[in-house]
C-alpha cells in the first residue's frame, strides 16, 4: 500500500495491536484465472520464535483454500478504526478534508491444516478470542458432531513474511492535533478509538496542554 514515512510504523507491537483489536481480515489470493480472490474472515494472531503467524479457516466448498494450496503466497489485510476528517480542525481555511485510518497488510505464506485434532486446536484459539465460554458447549456437542463440523472446513496457518503498518492520524499536521483530539473524544466509536491511538502515539498531549494550536 502507499506508505508515506510519516504514517509508517515499524513497531511490530503496534501492528499486533491493530490486528488483535480488529481481527476480521481480508485474505487475498490469486485465483485460477489470475484475478484477486478475497475471503473475509477472522484471523488469530500468534507470536512465535519465527515471527507472526495468522490462524484461520474457511468452508471446504470455498475454493480459496485450493488457491492457497496452488499458490501459497497471499496477502491478509486488517482495517482498524477510520473516520472522515473535516478541514475545520485547522486554524486556517486553505485546507482540504481527508480520511484517517489504521491498516496492516501482511504478506503471508500459507500452510493448509486438515488434521482433525490440529483443526480442533486451531478453532479453540479462535473461540478463545471471541467467546471463551463457548469452548465448553463445543466439547459437550460430542465427537460425532465435532468431526462432522471439522470435516466441513479447511484450516490454515499463514506465516507472515512481510508486514506493513500504516497509522494515518495527521501526524505531520501538529497544528490540528488539539482540535482533532477534542473532537474524537465526543465522536462515534471509531473516532473515540482514533483518539486513543493519538494518545498511544503521544499526539494526545497537545489536546490537554493546548499545544499545537
Amino acid at each position: 500500500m502507499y506508505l508515506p514515512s510519516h504514517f509508517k510504523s515499524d513497531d511490530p507491537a503496534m501492528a499486533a495491536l491493530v490486528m488483535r483489536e480488529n481481527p476480521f481480515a481480508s485474505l487475498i489470493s490469486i485465483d485460477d484465472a489470475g484475478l484477486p480472490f478475497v475471503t473475509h474472515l477472522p484471523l488469530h494472531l500468534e507470536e512465535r520464535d519465527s515471527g507472526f503467524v495468522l490462524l484461520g479457516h474457511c468452508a471446504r466448498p470455498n475454493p480459496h483454500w485450493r488457491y492457497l494450496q496452488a499458490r501459497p503466497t497471499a496477502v491478509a489485510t486488517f482495517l482498524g478504526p477510520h473516520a472522515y476528517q473535516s478541514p475545520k480542525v485547522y486554524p486556517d481555511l486553505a485546507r482540504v478534508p481527508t480520511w484517517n485510518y489504521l491498516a496492516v497488510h501482511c504478506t503471508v505464506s500459507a500452510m493448509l491444516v486438515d488434521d482433525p485434532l490440529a483443526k480442533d486446536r486451531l478453532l479453540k484459539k479462535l473461540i478463545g478470542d471471541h467467546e471463551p465460554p463457548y469452548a465448553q458447549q463445543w466439547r459437550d456437542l460430542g465427537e460425532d458432531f465435532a468431526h462432522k463440523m471439522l470435516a466441513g472446513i479447511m484450516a490454515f496457518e499463514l506465516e507472515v513474511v512481510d508486514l506493513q503498518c500504516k497509522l494515518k492520524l495527521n501526524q505531520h499536521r501538529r497544528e490540528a492535533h488539539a482540535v482533532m483530539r477534542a473532537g474524537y473524544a465526543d465522536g462515534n466509536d471509531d473516532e473515540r478509538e482514533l483518539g486513543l491511538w493519538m494518545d498511544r502515539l503521544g499526539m494526545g498531549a497537545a489536546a490537554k496542554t493546548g499545544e499545537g494550536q
Side-chain angles (χ1 to χ4, degrees), residues 6-186:
H6 40 272
F7 300 143
K8 180 181 179 182
S9 173
D10 292 319
D11 185 351
M14 289 292 186
L17 192 56
V18 173
M19 291 188 280
R20 287 198 169 105
E21 290 185 348
N22 307 275
F24 193 61
S26 296
L27 180 61
I28 307 162
S29 293
I30 300 300
D31 68 13
D32 293 336
L35 296 173
F37 188 90
V38 184
T39 295
H40 306 285
L41 74 174
L43 293 175
H44 171 83
L45 173 65
E46 281 194 351
E47 298 183 49
R48 301 179 182 174
D49 291 340
S50 59
F52 289 155
V53 176
L54 301 166
L55 309 179
H57 67 89
C58 65
R60 192 172 287 273
N62 184 340
H64 203 147
W65 68 269
R66 299 186 187 276
Y67 302 147
L68 292 172
Q69 185 177 50
R71 292 169 288 277
T73 299
V75 172
T77 70
F78 298 80
L79 180 63
H82 57 92
Y84 170 79
Q85 183 63 72
S86 168
K88 292 188 294 186
V89 298
Y90 298 107
D92 57 289
L93 299 179
R95 305 296 181 113
V96 295
T98 190
W99 204 277
N100 288 332
Y101 61 92
L102 314 179
V104 174
H105 289 193
C106 300
T107 302
V108 300
S109 179
M111 180 184 72
L112 299 182
V113 177
D114 202 22
D115 173 72
L117 290 177
K119 284 194 286 188
D120 183 68
R121 289 193 296 269
L122 187 150
L123 284 180
K124 285 183 171 127
K125 291 176 182 179
L126 284 164
I127 291 168
D129 286 345
H130 304 291
E131 191 181 5
Y134 178 73
Q136 184 60 52
Q137 181 177 332
W138 170 252
R139 288 190 290 269
D140 292 343
L141 290 171
E143 288 189 10
D144 289 344
F145 180 86
H147 283 305
K148 181 181 177 180
M149 293 296 101
L150 290 169
I153 66 171
M154 178 63 77
F156 34 78
E157 294 190 359
L158 308 171
E159 180 185 2
V160 178
V161 297
D162 189 41
L163 180 149
Q164 294 179 321
C165 180
K166 186 172 185 177
L167 311 176
K168 184 178 180 295
L169 283 166
N170 233 12
Q171 291 95 320
H172 60 318
R173 304 297 186 193
R174 290 183 56 82
E175 68 275 19
H177 291 178
V179 179
M180 283 174 56
R181 186 64 186 91
Y184 284 155
D186 296 325

